[in-house]
Amino acid sequence: MALSLAISPCPNDTFVFHALVHGLVPGAPPVDVTYADVDVTNTAAERGAFDLVKVSYAALPWLLDDYHLLPCGGALGRGCGPLVLTRGDRDPGQPDGSARPDGTDAPDLSGATVAVPGDRTTAYLLFRLWAAERPPARIEVVPFHEIMPGVAAGRYDAGLVIHEARFTYPRHGLTALVDLGEWWEADTGLPIPLGAILARRGAVDPEAAAGWIRESVRRAWADPAASREYVLAHAQEMEPDVVDRHIGLYVNEFTADLGDAGFAAVQALLGRAADAGLVPQTSSSLATAWTS
């Protein structure tokens, strides 16, 4: 029987899963794939909608009773964190563009409306941790592709973006207020855990699934040209050079194996968030022992 798989159409996911989706991994079952933004898959996974699914690490506390966390295939790394963007001619702390009353230039969104790509995304969880002392006045959940145009048009004072936006935001006339990846790495010394791959308990052998995904990653690196047409077809109008930079940044050593540093990053993120009351407390064994 075919396994149901849900991943994003982003180049890192299609690059990683090309071989598995196309039946090129020996011993792997056929795969019925769905492409959706991670905010959609976070919600679908709560319903148990897929056998293998890409979700935000921030969503794990709601999912690990029903899913195994796999140690490969996801998005985790350094220098790849979410960005908070503002329009270059506006002060993000003052929606009317006036100077802050205290005269400082410290990042401050306390008077702002901020567009975010999902309420259980890792990007938004990192943002909430960063902005804990000065939370914005309003948060609006907005489809990812509408965030940068909305900030540029003045509909939002700031926007939280991920992935390819770090390469393309200047063309919208936007400025990076903060790189949440840099903030996280400086504060913890750990990589940024962004997207995880989960296997539904009782439906998929997690050890076998990890083997299939690792082989798919190996084949992607061994012959990058094999997946080129497939990746570009799903890249949502990204230019080839942006696609290449995207893959180069988000498909890395942690894609093949989270390792100790990767699991430590997951524990740090969920532990800090739980201590702040932002997510339910998660058993460390559920968060890190993927075959438990």
Side-chain angles (χ1 to χ4, degrees):
M1 293 180 60
L3 289 179
S4 56
L5 167 70
I7 56 175
S8 82
C10 292
N12 59 306
D13 281 356
T14 50
F15 180 78
V16 164
F17 284 92
H18 168 262
L20 183 60
V21 167
H22 290 83
L24 303 176
V25 175
V31 170
D32 181 11
V33 64
T34 296
Y35 304 96
D37 288 340
V38 73
D39 191 44
V40 174
T41 60
N42 286 343
T43 302
E46 274 200 273
R47 304 192 305 269
F50 300 102
D51 299 322
L52 294 172
V53 59
K54 170 78 171 287
V55 299
S56 301
Y57 273 107
L60 293 192
W62 290 275
L63 300 175
L64 288 177
D65 284 341
D66 299 313
Y67 284 88
H68 297 280
L69 169 62
L70 298 187
C72 54
L76 188 148
R78 297 184 184 276
C80 59
L83 304 177
V84 180
L85 304 179
T86 62
R87 211 167 73 188
D89 61 348
R90 301 186 75 167
D91 183 308
Q94 302 294 317
D96 63 0
S98 62
R100 293 189 185 89
D102 63 7
T104 69
D105 59 1
D108 182 1
L109 294 167
S110 56
T113 296
V114 180
V116 305
D119 58 0
R120 286 190 182 173
T121 60
T122 307
Y124 184 44
L125 185 57
L126 287 169
F127 175 81
R128 293 172 78 190
L129 291 169
W130 171 76
E133 295 182 3
R134 292 179 174 180
R138 289 167 298 280
I139 292 291
E140 292 193 25
V141 177
V142 176
F144 176 69
H145 68 276
E146 297 179 11
I147 292 179
M148 289 193 291
V151 176
R155 291 192 294 276
Y156 316 107
D157 301 303
L160 179 63
V161 300
I162 55 176
H163 291 334
E164 68 274 6
R166 84 166 26 247
F167 308 122
T168 61
Y169 73 85
R171 69 183 64 168
H172 292 268
L174 302 180
T175 299
L177 175 69
V178 63
D179 183 324
L180 293 177
E182 290 183 359
W183 167 77
W184 171 262
E185 290 182 63
D187 200 47
T188 67
L190 295 168
I192 309 107
L194 298 171
I197 304 297
L198 306 185
R200 189 158 59 92
R201 295 177 185 270
V204 187
D205 178 338
E207 188 170 4
W212 304 330
I213 292 169
R214 284 184 169 129
E215 177 62 15
S216 194
V217 173
R218 188 194 68 78
R219 287 172 178 258
W221 278 333
D223 187 6
S227 63
R228 188 68 172 172
E229 183 177 351
Y230 170 65
V231 169
L232 291 175
H234 291 277
Q236 299 181 331
E237 301 183 7
M238 278 190 237
E239 300 92 335
D241 68 312
V242 173
V243 167
D244 291 340
R245 293 167 70 191
H246 184 112
I247 292 170
L249 184 59
Y250 293 100
V251 183
N252 53 49
E253 63 186 282
F254 297 106
T255 310
D257 189 356
L258 287 177
D260 291 342
F263 280 124
V266 177
Q267 287 184 304
L269 176 69
L270 299 184
R272 287 185 175 209
D275 290 344
L278 301 179
V279 303
Q281 199 74 41
T282 304
S283 163
S284 61
S285 63
L286 280 177
T288 60
W290 59 277
T291 55
S292 66

